[in-house]
Amino acid sequence: MTAPIVLIAAAAIVGIGDGPQLAALFAIRHREAPECLRGQIFTTGASLKITGFALGAAVAGPIAVWSLPGTLALAASVAALAALAFFTIPSTTADSPKRSLNLR
């Protein structure tokens, strides 16, 4: 059986990673959405995020029963694929800044 401290540490790491991601998500939505549509775009984005979270929980439940490390590895893999998609798929907005890992 996995010690509760491991689960608490995993939840803390997810929370630490989710904070900057959420701030970046809001900044991108604000920058890319036309002012007259921002309310609809923010609401639709929030709905999609909650739906994705629910679907992820539904998939992760049976996997967690089988293997908790496997579940965490799957979550990390999905996050890595999302990051890869972000840098691979070009932006459709002409005035969007170039995507790079240059943090300067």
Side-chain angles (χ1 to χ4, degrees), residues 64-92:
V65 170
W66 171 68
S67 169
L68 184 57
T71 305
L72 295 174
L74 176 63
S77 299
V78 170
L81 285 173
L84 180 65
F86 173 78
F87 288 110
T88 305
I89 300 170
S91 176
T92 58

